[in-house]
Amino acid sequence: MTSFRRTIFVLVAVAFVASPAFGEDKRHVPTVDDLLHIDSVGGVRISPNGKWVAYSVTHTDFKKDAFVTHLWIADPAIGRKYQLTRGDKSIGDVAWSPDSAWLAFSSNRIGDKSQIFAIAPDGGEAVQLTKIETGVGGFQWSQDGKTIAFTAAPSKKDQTTNRKEHLGEFEVIRKEYDYHHLWTIDVAEALKEPQSGKQRTKGKDFSVGSFSWSPDGSKLAFEATRNPDLIQRGTADIYVLNLADDAVKKIVSQPGPDGNPHWSPDGKQIVFETVMGNPAFFHCNRRLAVVPADGGEPRSLTDEFDEHAFLIDWKPDGIFFSGLQKTTSHLFRVQPDNPKITRLTSPDDLRGFGYSLTHDGHQMAFTASSPTSLGEVFVSDAKEFAPRKLTEMTEQTKPLILGKSEVITWKSQDGTTIEGVLTKPADFDPEKKRPLLCIIHGGPTGIDQPTLLASRYYPADIWAGRGALILRVNYRGSAGYGEKFRQLNVGNLGVGDAWDVLSGVDHLIKLGWVDPAKVGCMGWSQGGYISAFLTTSSDRFAAISVGAGISNWATYYYNTDMTPFTIQYLGKDPAADQAIYQKTSPMSYIQKAKTPTLIQHGENDKRVPIANAYELRQGLEDRGVKVEMIVYKGYGHGITKPRSQRAVMQHNLAWFNHYIWGDPFPDFANPDVPKAEKSADTPSE
């Protein structure tokens, strides 16, 4: 249920060895606010000449109730790093000019729509480059640095205003879209005054997604779907726009999504991500393929790589991509005329993300985390990998007492080998039986990795500090283990997933580490669905929390914004195959339900519509099962603001603290909260 590109990173609590500056008396088990205040890095971009590394840092602002992201710069030669942007508004995408003289970034810092700004890497005021009524999507510099191309939707202001004044407000479902098209601006002119740009593609034949410039700047290759609706994802094809006359030619047309095109250095070919015509694109491998720039038969390059290949770029030394290998992630290279794939990064257990290459492909920057570190920014030579760390984000965890994580393996009910991440308390004693809390990732093609700190929905680190074991199951369907493993829950959703969780619990009980009476389970999205399945089909847990989970696949199918997902996993719609929907739906087993269940859901969730939560709540109440349901106002599928994430965490903390440790039952409607601080101009009573 999560997008492939927007794979959510679910982190695990692990050990951190304190430096002498922090004695045992100064370290403590983290609080909810401690966890929410941890800054994180991302968006790494090495400059084309290799002199600078730009990256983003996201921090929590409870006063503004926002996670604010700003741009930072590191100079690898001298180790200097400094913040480049400031203010209340975040930055988005970042791209270097080809001469490394400018950094362009998107932000809504002026007005409420995203625009493109440029700033020099050595600081100064950011210059606004665009002024687009509908806001800017993705953008990219031409290779001569004279032009920036971007995506945006044409304005429909006059049309919608006239209709609203005459007929009021309404929406015709799956008929009204904001089609995104390509535009260009002249950089020299934009540096003088923000530009509205020149529209290059038009109409309602397609909606543009990712794109790239040809080396000579005369063309743009782009992906486009029939319209921007998520159900059209499988219609994504590859096109080429000739900027001389704005003529568009489709060069790749096959079933399933084809996207993220990049040009060869000589401009004669285009490499792109593809499923090579497989309509079951939600759970099959995404490959890399090349096609002549004028069109022709695509040729797959990465058939031997049994995972998703995420394209980075085509450099003189070859085509670079990243990919998972179980719970690790690496950078790879393949040549356009040779199917041999070379892994460029090491050691085997590296977990690197966001790889960025210089213009010649000889240097790289990326982020990586480990069981003892947060995500940090690194640089390295691309040919002889020797990473050098540029940031010190892990210093934030010095005051915290955290657990120890490791990857464990067991056999599921049908003999399938399953891996999971087990977090042990800092004082772990194998002779002592402890509570166990299972946290299930979303996706289903998500993955849990043994890296530092936990997610912001479930306070695993606090529970580990109280002595619990934390198990994160990479159940069948998870990414990182190959296409066949990813397809093991096709037609068997919920059922096989439950086998994997329950067998993991049994494995730890047999080791003598777990008190069987003190086991809980929770998860969000697909993890919420698996938790709902377990709460209705099993009595193994003392308590369960269902976050944004499916309770009835028919309810989900008829209401979700992504119906093809269901068909690809279950085969047919509910009217055509009632049996598969009955087999895989938690509500089919509601009469067996006994487990106290907390239900959490966003009010405006379109991915897993909230009807699923109400259906499960009523079914449990009708059976006399203890149930609490909390709706987070104004949110969709994710809870994206600090205060509400604090609430989600605290609700889960209180729920499991009661059922696992016997703490008082929480009164969610009347929580204990600190009194608001009075400002200087607030009159006293």
Side-chain angles (χ1 to χ4, degrees), residues 264-265 269-271 289-290 299-301 314-320 333-340:
S264 61
Q269 298 181 84
I270 291 171
V271 63
V290 294
R299 177 169 52 88
S300 179
L301 299 177
W314 193 336
K315 300 294 186 182
D317 289 343
I319 298 167
F320 292 79
R333 183 179 62 217
V334 65
Q335 301 298 335
D337 54 358
N338 185 343
K340 181 182 178 181

Side-chain angles (χ1 to χ4, degrees), residues 559-600:
N559 290 276
T560 185
D561 62 357
M562 199 170 64
T563 52
F565 173 89
T566 308
I567 300 302
Q568 290 188 29
Y569 274 92
L570 299 185
K572 297 180 180 179
D573 66 62
D577 189 351
Q578 295 181 18
I580 189 65
Y581 284 78
Q582 183 174 11
K583 171 188 173 183
T584 56
S585 293
M587 292 304 295
S588 299
Y589 310 95
I590 194 70
Q591 302 243 35
K592 302 177 183 178
K594 298 178 181 178
T595 308
T597 302
L598 172 65
I599 301 172
Q600 300 174 302

Side-chain angles (χ1 to χ4, degrees), residues 355-374:
Y355 294 99
S356 172
L357 297 161
T358 54
H359 179 72
D360 58 15
H362 292 169
Q363 299 175 69
M364 70 169 79
F366 61 98
T367 60
S369 54
S370 77
T372 57
S373 68
L374 298 176

